[in-house]
Amino acid sequence: MRFSAPSALPLSIRPALFHANEGENVITDVVIAGGGPNGLMLACELSLAGVRPILLERLPEISQEPKANGLLGQVVKMLDHRGLHERLSGSQEPPRPNSAYFMFGAMGLDLSMLEDSPVYALPVPQRRIVQVLQERAIELGVEIRRGHEVVGLSQDDDAVTVDVASPSGAYQLRARYLIGADGAHSTTRKLSGIEFPGVTYDRMTVRTAHATIPADWVDPATGALHVPGYGAVPPFLPRRTERGGFSYAPMPGHPPLISTTEWDQSETDAPMSLDEVRASIRRVLGVDVPLGAPDGEGPHVLRRLTGGNTRVAERFSDGRVFLIGDAAHVYAATGGGPGLNLGLQDAVNLGWKLAAVVRGSAPPGLLNSYETERRSAARRMVLNAQAQSALIAPGGDITGLREVFTELLRDQSTVRRLAELVAGADTRYEMGVPEAHPLIGRFAPDMELHTPAGPVRLAELTRTARPLLIDLTEEASLAETLALPQDHVDIVTARPQASAPTALLLRPDCYVAWASASPQPDPTEMEALRTALQQWFGVTEPTHA
């Protein structure tokens, strides 16, 4: 194996430029507004690439408010490729796909029909996600300033001047770039004058509560909730009736999370209560479910949400200001898993590109590709949310549509397409080279590579966020043909495997920029490889050894 093994911080880290008191003007490379999962993930990605940002978060400590209950989709694999899945799951085992059932519009997707399910789930509360990402960011040298909030900004050709409010007073930061990771009501987006067009929905009311339920109603074998007079409700799989929706989610270590969805409810200013949830269940299911107060440590969920928004920012950047996560896109859907799937991958997509620009090694147009690629992914997720919202709405015409859809879901190709849509696994970027191999433009599959040092998973080689060329050709001929600068691309050689690609070029976000299935890539493939190296990493012309 020839592997220029990078350390945990592969590039010479730029010295931290913050040497002044908070009240003084400071010049730094990148300021991130927002210390939620997306902002912290971006901070980690920049640090891995040699750029240490300053992260500003208005909350003085990690919020204990119950929000997302886990991660869903492609991002679970992405976290594995950064070594974060082990920390979040508490297991050394790699992520395993859901190969049984999932849902689309409260209709079952039989994932057992698929040889390789694209649906991954990681049940972990959002506050734990923030805690793990914050710990990782601190390990990598990120400076996190809690209780600090962006309240103003201006920019010129060279930098962004950020006005910050803090417990000890106002101050300014001058940064080459400012990233808005400050949520759906993003101050950064508003101050930059970026419009947030979309649609506001006001018909739907979602009630959610942690509550206890009769223990003998739960099937110990399947985990299903058996509701007398209605039937079985599988865990985590919503049920739709003509009057609304109902779901039951027994989260590990917490009381079950009960949720209902109804339409055209009368507005109320009354405080939310378990009695209100019980009454909603009665209307939706037509039977009573005796909910009890939640036990164990809180905080516990007890909320009512009316309406929602589906919006995508008119642009994801304005000069030296960039948006990620909910600051760039929101959609009306229950559950935060898909939203985190989208936002965390925004962070991973932007991080290596922005770092290359800061270091001065980026090829022309690299930073522009962030908006091109992530806007497409955002619109795909909005399509997903809109389609599912339509399918769970009340009415006989929707019921008829669902009957047709149920027939379509007996087809394997339909199940695969919808499973990939739900997981975000259908994202394919334009790589600027002929798509001669089906992996080009897609997230790299995990595979076991057989090296002289022993077997290693591909995911274990991507944890330093470096460009990676994997050579599985006979006698490592590709690695011998190219003389690549080791500060640009790491090369790993291993024995070829049956039915596997013989060579892969991975971007730091683990998307395949080039691939080959030939025992020895031909001249056309080699020219495509040179194009990919130049386009994404600024390697102008690999030389022959």
Side-chain angles (χ1 to χ4, degrees):
M1 177 176 70
R2 186 180 129 201
F3 177 30
S4 53
S7 63
L9 297 176
L11 301 175
S12 58
I13 293 297
R14 302 166 63 93
L17 298 180
F18 180 69
H19 295 299
N21 295 325
E22 291 174 358
E24 300 178 10
N25 284 347
V26 177
I27 298 178
T28 190
D29 286 324
V30 180
V31 169
I32 301 172
N38 300 323
L40 287 165
M41 189 73 194
L42 176 61
C44 292
E45 291 294 299
L46 289 168
S47 294
L48 285 170
V51 176
R52 286 178 177 164
I54 294 175
L55 187 147
L56 309 175
E57 167 53 49
R58 65 178 182 83
L59 296 179
E61 58 186 21
I62 296 175
S63 173
Q64 297 301 303
E65 179 185 355
K67 293 182 180 179
N69 294 305
L71 297 166
L72 173 70
Q74 193 79 4
V75 72
V76 177
K77 296 172 67 178
M78 182 69 251
L79 291 172
D80 180 41
H81 281 67
R82 290 295 186 263
L84 293 167
H85 181 268
E86 296 175 4
R87 300 191 187 200
L88 289 166
S89 67
S91 170
Q92 299 296 314
E93 292 296 317
R96 303 295 183 193
N98 181 344
S99 57
Y101 271 85
F102 201 71
M103 283 283 174
F104 185 86
M107 291 182 290
L109 292 179
D110 185 358
L111 300 178
S112 67
M113 298 171 63
L114 310 179
E115 292 185 7
D116 53 338
S117 167
V119 178
Y120 289 75
L122 179 59
V124 55
Q126 183 163 325
R127 61 182 179 273
R128 176 59 181 164
I129 297 170
V130 173
Q131 180 184 18
V132 167
L133 290 175
Q134 179 172 281
E135 291 170 354
R136 179 57 173 154
I138 292 172
E139 290 172 6
L140 293 171
V142 175
E143 179 165 357
I144 300 174
R145 302 184 185 177
R146 286 197 166 271
H148 294 232
E149 181 178 7
V150 174
V151 295
L153 67 87
S154 61
Q155 60 175 312
D156 52 38
D157 291 341
D158 300 319
V160 183
T161 299
V162 184
D163 299 319
V164 184
S166 78
S168 57
Y171 67 98
Q172 287 187 330
L173 288 171
R174 189 159 167 80
R176 294 179 63 184
Y177 294 93
L178 170 65
I179 312 302
D182 44 354
H185 302 287
S186 171
T187 298
T188 306
R189 185 188 66 240
K190 294 173 183 176
L191 291 171
S192 299
I194 299 175
E195 297 296 328
F196 205 31
V199 178
T200 297
Y201 304 92
D202 57 7
R203 290 190 60 196
M204 185 184 299
T205 299
V206 179
R207 297 176 176 88
T208 307
H210 279 126
T212 57
I213 54 175
D216 58 356
W217 284 25
V218 179
D219 186 329
T222 65
L225 177 66
H226 286 272
V227 180
Y230 175 78
V233 178
F236 305 105
L237 302 179
R239 283 289 186 255
R240 181 252 185 198
T241 74
E242 287 287 346
R243 299 166 298 280
F246 174 81
S247 68
Y248 158 72
M251 304 300 297
H254 297 277
L257 194 66
I258 306 296
S259 182
T260 65
T261 303
E262 295 184 86
W263 281 260
D264 302 321
Q265 293 278 290
S266 300
E267 293 186 11
T268 177
D269 294 327
M272 181 62 176
S273 67
L274 276 181
D275 281 339
E276 184 175 331
V277 180
R278 295 185 189 103
S280 180
I281 294 173
R282 175 72 186 180
R283 290 191 296 269
V284 170
L285 297 184
V287 297
D288 290 317
V289 175
L291 301 182
D295 50 20
E297 292 187 10
H300 295 125
V301 174
L302 183 61
R303 62 174 174 244
R304 176 200 311 118
L305 298 176
T306 300
N309 292 281
T310 294
R311 300 181 181 277
V312 177
E314 64 174 351
R315 57 188 187 279
F316 287 10
S317 65
D318 180 71
R320 292 179 173 270
V321 178
F322 286 78
L323 305 176
I324 66 172
D326 286 356
H329 41 68
V330 295
Y331 58 96
T334 57
L340 285 176
N341 182 13
L342 195 62
L344 289 170
Q345 291 195 85
D346 287 349
V348 176
N349 186 286
L350 178 61
W352 68 277
K353 297 173 181 178
L354 183 59
V357 172
V358 169
R359 295 195 314 264
S361 61
L366 180 64
L367 207 48
N368 294 336
S369 69
Y370 165 68
E371 173 153 359
T372 300
E373 293 179 346
R374 296 313 296 164
R375 176 176 288 278
S376 174
R379 292 199 177 281
R380 191 69 176 163
M381 188 59 72
V382 166
L383 175 67
N384 170 19
Q386 290 174 327
Q388 294 205 56
S389 293
L391 286 167
I392 64 174
D397 52 347
I398 300 300
T399 300
L401 176 63
R402 290 173 63 85
E403 290 181 6
V404 173
F405 232 89
T406 300
E407 295 178 7
L408 294 175
L409 291 178
R410 298 170 188 157
D411 182 76
Q412 183 186 60
S413 63
T414 302
V415 171
R416 169 161 293 283
R417 176 162 293 196
L418 292 178
E420 289 180 345
L421 176 63
V422 168
D426 58 351
T427 297
R428 186 171 192 174
Y429 297 142
E430 172 56 55
M431 290 297 174
V433 298
E435 295 181 357
H437 194 283
L439 287 179
I440 293 176
R442 297 192 179 276
F443 192 85
D446 197 16
M447 61 180 71
E448 189 172 85
L449 304 177
H450 298 280
T451 73
V456 60
R457 288 195 303 125
L458 185 151
E460 296 172 323
L461 299 175
T462 61
R463 293 180 175 176
T464 52
R466 294 267 293 158
L468 184 63
L469 178 62
I470 300 173
D471 185 359
L472 301 171
T473 58
E474 296 177 358
E475 300 180 355
S477 56
L478 185 62
E480 294 302 321
T481 301
L482 297 175
L484 297 178
Q486 291 192 6
D487 62 341
H488 280 72
V489 181
D490 293 328
I491 300 178
V492 175
T493 62
R495 294 197 306 272
Q497 302 179 68
S499 72
T502 56
L504 292 170
L505 177 64
L506 270 59
R507 305 190 320 186
D509 59 359
C510 303
Y511 277 79
V512 179
W514 172 88
S516 173
S518 305
Q520 171 60 54
D522 60 32
T524 300
E525 289 180 303
M526 291 301 293
E527 184 59 32
L529 173 57
R530 290 183 170 89
T531 298
L533 287 164
Q534 179 177 0
Q535 176 174 342
W536 298 112
F537 313 126
V539 178
T540 55
E541 183 63 33
T543 58
H544 293 287

